[in-house]
Amino acid sequence: MSAPAPAPERRRLFADLTPLRTSAHYRRLWFGNTISWVGQGMTALAVSLQVYDITRSPFSVGLVGLFSLVPLIVFGLYGGAIADTVDRRKLGLFSAAGSAVLSAALATAAFAGFHRVWFLYAIVALQSVCAALNSPARTSMIPRLLPPEQLRAANALNSMTTTFGTLVGPSLGGLIVGVAGYQTAYLVDAVAFFAALYAMWRLPAMLPDRTGTKRASVLDGLRFLATRPNLRMTFFSDFCAMILAHPRALFPVVAVVWYDGDARTTGLLAAAPAAGALLGGVLSGWQGRIRHHGQAILLAVACWGTAIAAFGLTRELWLGLILLALAGYSDTVSMIFRNTMMQVAAPDEMRGRLQGVFIVVVAGGPRLGDFLAGSVADLTSPAVAITGGGIACVLAVGLLALYGRGFRRYDAVDPTA
């Protein structure tokens, strides 16, 4: 008998769709989240455009980000604790319903001609609270829907959802606002949430596996993380990239000074990492052969830092875009393995709180990186800030690799926290 034919190259290269084929619950959740992420991207852009239309102030537009960030950080940890206490299905359902109601409120106000900046800020803040409650609940459900060997593939698919929404949502939102007004963009977002609501409605009860009746606390989650060096390393490695080598805040000046460009050039620079991140999810099939996830994370973050350092040295726009896309690809690879480690190596009763910490890191890290890059560029130059930050990221990851021997040896087949 002849040996079986090897798997087609496409199956080894492109994203593994097994979770979508084997779990109807996960399939509905994935499609629902993809649609709702596009809707949220539309609303995010529409709110910024409406604030500027009312105030004509870039500072007022910048405050939209602040009103979104602060509740996300404050309630991120708390949302994780709630997800480890109550039925995660109900928490996800109610928080998604809250987001839908808030988008409907934006649409109603726009239809009624009620244009007040304070109202838009309040809605944005409340939407962030709903997101902070929804994300830990939704993410901690996935290990209950799929076997451990499919979690890496599921996280790759989830990365495609968020990146697709980030790329398509704002573009679609700008088109709809231009053609039919703010109220239509908000209304489409409110309707889009029904896909996620339907997916969560069909889920079974998702009570966390807990011992005792004590309410899950944030401090208990942080104490648990303090005893799990491998899980801590996933956050430390992400900080290396997001704080030390995050050049986003410098894209406007880089577009003008380096490439003699304008706002469109800045848009290309901002879109390049997202395009690379989406490609990282699409071309994630090879990752299924990787057992040592800690090593993969360290290498991916080092690749991010190297790409950012090289970007700081180039003055050709096409090459700069390629390097930023490579950085985005590397970030997705790191994120997939980090999420998989958190879901597999942590007990179910702690998954919500770890996802809460993850939200804080993802939301706060890039903002600190923006501040650091801007400060260093102001004291020296954009080139020094970007290239120096990339080199610092690589050096910091090297130190983590020397310190975290257990992290390097982490085996997905026999996971330890």
Side-chain angles (χ1 to χ4, degrees):
M1 180 180 297
S2 60
E9 182 64 26
R10 178 177 298 178
R11 293 191 61 185
R12 295 198 297 267
L13 177 64
F14 290 99
D16 184 358
L17 303 181
T18 302
L20 296 176
R21 291 194 297 264
T22 60
S23 172
H25 288 310
Y26 175 77
R27 183 167 59 248
R28 284 190 291 266
L29 196 63
W30 186 81
F31 279 109
N33 288 335
T34 300
I35 295 171
S36 64
W37 265 99
V38 172
Q40 291 171 71
M42 291 170 50
T43 290
L45 180 78
V47 167
S48 295
L49 290 174
Q50 189 175 8
V51 168
Y52 185 74
D53 192 31
I54 296 170
T55 66
R56 296 295 172 182
S57 167
F59 176 76
S60 298
V61 177
L63 286 179
V64 174
L66 183 64
F67 277 97
S68 175
L69 174 64
V70 173
L72 198 61
I73 292 178
V74 173
F75 286 90
L77 295 174
Y78 186 63
I82 296 176
D84 285 338
T85 302
V86 304
D87 185 345
R88 290 163 177 164
R89 170 186 172 272
K90 291 182 179 179
L91 179 60
L93 192 62
F94 291 149
S95 55
S99 294
V101 169
L102 291 168
S103 293
L106 286 171
T108 302
F111 275 115
F114 184 75
H115 305 300
R116 299 291 186 275
V117 174
W118 66 263
F119 176 77
L120 296 175
Y121 288 158
I123 294 294
V124 165
L126 291 173
Q127 285 179 328
S128 288
V129 173
C130 289
L133 297 175
N134 183 271
S135 182
R138 186 182 66 249
T139 307
S140 56
M141 291 177 190
I142 296 175
R144 302 279 289 272
L145 301 176
L146 298 168
E149 62 271 15
Q150 293 184 21
L151 290 178
R152 185 213 55 82
N155 285 314
L157 292 170
N158 293 341
S159 74
M160 294 165 59
T161 289
T162 55
T163 309
F164 182 78
T166 302
L167 284 172
V168 174
S171 302
L172 188 58
L175 178 63
I176 292 177
V177 168
V179 173
Y182 301 113
Q183 63 273 13
T184 305
Y186 298 143
L187 187 59
V188 171
D189 182 27
V191 173
F193 270 106
F194 280 93
L197 289 170
Y198 174 74
M200 290 188 185
W201 181 266
R202 294 289 303 273
L203 290 172
M206 289 279 178
L207 286 167
D209 294 333
R210 299 181 62 233
T211 57
T213 59
K214 181 184 176 182
R215 184 182 180 86
S217 73
V218 173
L219 289 178
D220 285 343
L222 295 176
R223 292 189 190 103
F224 170 81
L225 188 59
T227 64
R228 298 297 188 271
N230 286 339
L231 292 179
R232 288 201 308 275
M233 285 285 287
T234 64
F235 297 109
F236 293 155
S237 61
D238 191 45
F239 273 137
C240 290
M242 294 298 99
I243 296 179
L244 298 177
H246 200 260
R248 179 182 59 187
L250 302 180
F251 285 164
V253 65
V254 163
V256 175
V257 176
W258 291 1
Y259 304 121
D260 195 25
D262 51 18
R264 288 173 294 181
T265 308
T266 303
L268 288 175
L269 294 174
L278 180 60
L279 194 64
V282 173
L283 304 180
S284 59
W286 61 271
Q287 298 171 17
R289 301 192 297 271
I290 304 299
R291 288 180 52 176
H292 297 286
H293 290 184
Q295 290 183 15
I297 292 169
L298 294 172
L299 287 173
V301 175
C303 286
W304 164 281
T306 301
I308 295 300
F311 169 71
L313 297 174
T314 184
R315 297 300 179 266
E316 295 290 339
L317 180 59
W318 65 269
L319 181 57
L321 294 176
I322 290 175
L323 289 168
L324 289 175
L326 177 61
Y329 182 96
S330 302
D331 184 49
T332 292
V333 172
S334 169
M335 184 273 295
I336 291 170
F337 285 120
R338 284 186 287 115
N339 263 337
T340 304
M341 284 184 65
M342 282 192 291
Q343 291 171 341
V344 174
D348 183 73
E349 65 176 329
M350 288 291 175
R351 285 174 180 150
R353 278 165 285 185
L354 289 180
Q355 287 300 323
V357 176
F358 182 77
I359 290 175
V360 173
V361 170
V362 169
R367 272 71 178 186
L368 291 174
D370 289 343
F371 175 76
L372 180 62
S375 300
V376 174
D378 190 54
L379 293 172
T380 56
S381 70
V384 171
I386 294 173
T387 298
I391 294 173
C393 172
V394 175
L395 292 176
V397 169
L399 293 175
L400 286 181
L402 293 175
Y403 169 76
R405 296 180 181 178
F407 188 66
R408 298 200 313 269
R409 292 194 297 264
Y410 177 91
D411 190 340
V413 178
D414 184 23
T416 57

